[in-house]
Amino acid sequence: MLLRFGKAALLGVALMSLPAHAQGTPEQRAACEDDAMRLCQQFVPDIDRIKACMARHRAQLSPRCRVYFGGGRR
């Protein structure tokens, strides 16, 4: 649990260090943070690589997050 919290905190810091347009809205971050950690944690803190990874794993994203990657709700 501590390791998961540490990586989640690192992702949060990485997101906050980017310009607002690169971070997405607070709603997008809330919807996708768990998916990012589950599917793409090896790319933290590189936001561009995280986004690319999540786009590749679109079918595995939660419905809340998938709407931000063009997959809509399924």
Side-chain angles (χ1 to χ4, degrees), residues 61-73:
L61 296 176
S62 65
R64 283 181 61 210
C65 183
R66 193 177 305 130
V67 298
Y68 299 112
F69 283 88
R73 294 193 185 272

Side-chain angles (χ1 to χ4, degrees), residues 11-12 15-16 20 22-34 64 68:
L11 178 63
L15 290 174
M16 290 185 326
Q23 296 177 36
T25 66
E27 293 80 15
Q28 289 169 325
R29 290 192 305 269
C32 295
E33 185 174 0
D34 287 342
R64 283 181 61 210
Y68 299 112

Side-chain angles (χ1 to χ4, degrees), residues 28-54:
Q28 289 169 325
R29 290 192 305 269
C32 295
E33 185 174 0
D34 287 342
D35 290 332
M37 293 308 300
R38 179 173 53 88
L39 298 169
C40 305
Q41 66 180 331
Q42 69 269 28
F43 299 119
V44 172
D46 188 330
I47 301 302
D48 290 332
R49 291 181 74 190
I50 292 170
K51 288 179 183 179
C53 171
M54 291 178 72

